Amino acid sequence: MNQIVLICFYFGKLPNYFQLWLDSAAKNPWIDFYFYTDNTEEYRYPSNVIKKSVSYEKMKKRIQDCFDFEVVIDRPYKMCDYRPAFGYILQEDIVQYPYWGTCDIDVILGNVSHFLNMEMICRYDKVLTLDHFVIYRNTPQVNKRFMDTLDNRADHYKEVFTDSRVHSFGERAPGGIYHIYKEHGWPMLDQEICADISYRWKHFVLGSDHEDHKHRPQVFVWDKDDGSLYRYAVLKGKVVCEEFMYMHLQKRKMDVSARLLQQSQSLLIVPNKILSLKEKRERIGKRMIIKYGHRRLIYGARIKMLWKKYVGK
């Protein structure tokens, strides 16, 4: 049995790249994934992704039964606010795991072991700070920390759970679990090792990028061999390659064929689609990155103009 389980949920029609999420999870066999869903479509589930068939209404009731006040879950997205409480709500399901966490399905996982390992994880009660991938120590004390005070407010979590607005309680937003941990000084790994793609732009823009580099052409590659994820960008006329633990697409619509995802191959991920990658990683050049990664898809003469701008030749 693995030592970590990540809790995922989704109700309704799944993203058309869901099989890629499953395949990327399979490349991290040292982590288990519990996927709570009402979806009945057929997919290739790897052995470390355990599907938990449940209706949205039953999941709501299970959450409600854990609290002595009326909670608000008026739409599936509101359930995200309950993520810091899943260790408490779903304790019966995960009792055998020393660590639990949460993970979105609108992510493409890279090779997590290149960034985290059990020796590192064991030092902290909370690992990472964004609830599209976060890990907690599975103890009764840690699992109830969402109930702790914030700015001397004892019932802060009740304010979140009784309000129909989404507060991003599992993240770094004001009033989020991140600030509860910071205020109490509990051990937390505060590190940004993901490509968190902004939903405000059609092209890829990472929130962590310096302002001068925010709109550089960039594409991603998912390597079929070991599940690694790389970003290729043109910066000051050179191709820069950087590995990430995962990329978060934030419900971005992607054009991808089911047939492509049925095949075992490396993939080129560009702002609006997922393509088969025939070239090896070292052959990903400036022209390809500019063509697919610029804020508009580029063709013909416009490539020459942008080539001069980004490459200088």
Side-chain angles (χ1 to χ4, degrees):
M1 185 193 76
N2 288 322
Q3 297 187 65
I4 301 172
V5 59
L6 297 185
I7 297 167
C8 322
F9 66 89
Y10 201 92
F11 299 97
K13 186 170 179 57
L14 294 165
N16 62 350
Y17 54 85
F18 179 65
Q19 186 61 58
L20 177 53
W21 179 82
L22 290 172
D23 293 344
S24 69
K27 293 294 184 179
N28 293 280
W30 60 289
I31 300 173
D32 285 343
F33 298 81
Y34 281 4
F35 180 47
Y36 295 81
T37 184
D38 59 357
N39 190 276
T40 58
E41 296 175 85
E42 293 293 326
Y43 292 94
R44 298 192 318 271
Y45 280 84
S47 59
N48 64 325
V49 179
I50 297 89
K51 181 181 178 182
K52 302 276 190 178
S53 295
V54 61
S55 70
Y56 169 57
E57 293 300 325
K58 285 186 177 180
M59 193 68 170
K60 282 174 58 176
K61 184 179 185 304
R62 186 165 184 184
I63 295 173
Q64 178 62 78
D65 289 347
C66 293
F67 301 99
D68 59 4
F69 57 91
E70 187 174 352
V71 303
V72 174
I73 311 175
D74 54 0
R75 59 197 186 281
Y77 189 55
K78 173 62 181 175
M79 206 171 285
C80 295
D81 272 341
Y82 294 85
R83 281 174 168 164
F86 279 174
Y88 174 75
I89 296 166
L90 301 175
Q91 181 58 37
E92 292 181 3
D93 295 4
I94 63 172
V95 65
Q96 69 271 33
Y97 291 94
Y99 292 88
W100 69 275
T102 61
C103 180
D104 271 350
I105 65 163
D106 58 354
V107 308
I108 299 171
L109 296 167
N111 193 321
V112 177
S113 65
H114 290 177
F115 299 86
L116 300 176
N117 55 53
M118 289 310 304
E119 181 181 359
M120 180 188 304
I121 290 168
C122 288
R123 301 174 195 160
Y124 303 96
D125 291 345
K126 185 175 188 291
V127 176
L128 306 183
T129 62
L130 300 173
D131 64 4
H132 33 82
F133 192 109
V134 66
I135 298 171
Y136 296 90
R137 191 185 303 276
N138 190 8
T139 67
Q141 181 186 23
V142 171
N143 290 345
K144 289 184 178 180
R145 283 181 175 168
F146 70 93
M147 300 180 181
D148 274 280
T149 58
L150 179 65
D151 298 331
N152 296 318
R153 290 176 291 160
D155 292 335
H156 173 62
Y157 78 101
K158 292 184 179 180
E159 297 174 16
V160 174
F161 291 174
T162 56
D163 186 0
S164 63
R165 293 175 300 167
V166 175
H167 290 249
S168 299
F169 188 47
E171 300 201 356
R172 303 171 66 100
I177 190 72
Y178 168 82
H179 297 283
I180 295 177
Y181 266 75
K182 291 289 284 187
E183 183 173 301
H184 291 271
W186 295 319
M188 172 176 61
L189 177 61
D190 184 1
Q191 188 175 349
E192 194 162 347
I193 49 182
C194 75
D196 198 12
I197 307 295
S198 173
Y199 62 88
R200 300 179 184 275
W201 304 92
K202 291 184 178 180
H203 57 295
F204 285 152
V205 175
L206 275 59
S208 59
D209 278 343
H210 188 276
E211 190 64 33
D212 293 343
H213 302 155
K214 225 162 206 187
H215 298 293
R216 55 182 164 176
Q218 55 188 288
V219 298
F220 287 80
V221 169
W222 184 74
D223 189 327
K224 69 174 182 180
D225 294 330
D226 69 348
S228 297
L229 180 73
Y230 300 92
R231 173 174 72 167
Y232 288 83
V234 177
L235 181 62
K236 296 181 179 179
K238 296 181 180 180
V239 174
V240 178
C241 178
E242 182 179 6
E243 185 177 1
F244 284 90
M245 196 175 87
Y246 67 94
M247 66 185 301
H248 182 212
L249 292 170
Q250 297 211 49
K251 301 179 178 62
R252 178 181 289 257
K253 293 182 179 180
M254 303 294 284
D255 181 9
V256 59
S257 71
R259 182 178 179 181
L260 174 65
L261 296 183
Q262 290 297 323
Q263 302 169 5
S264 177
Q265 57 193 335
S266 296
L267 298 172
L268 176 67
I269 304 162
V270 303
N272 63 344
K273 62 180 66 176
I274 300 173
L275 305 167
S276 172
L277 183 66
K278 298 178 181 178
E279 297 86 353
K280 294 182 180 180
R281 288 203 306 273
E282 60 266 21
R283 291 181 59 189
I284 295 178
K286 301 170 188 175
R287 186 176 293 274
M288 176 189 287
I289 298 170
I290 291 173
K291 176 180 178 179
Y292 288 113
H294 196 261
R295 64 187 69 188
R296 289 192 290 260
L297 292 181
I298 313 302
Y299 300 99
R302 187 163 173 77
I303 291 181
K304 297 180 181 179
M305 185 266 288
L306 289 167
W307 183 276
K308 185 175 181 180
K309 176 180 178 182
Y310 288 104
V311 180
K313 294 181 181 179

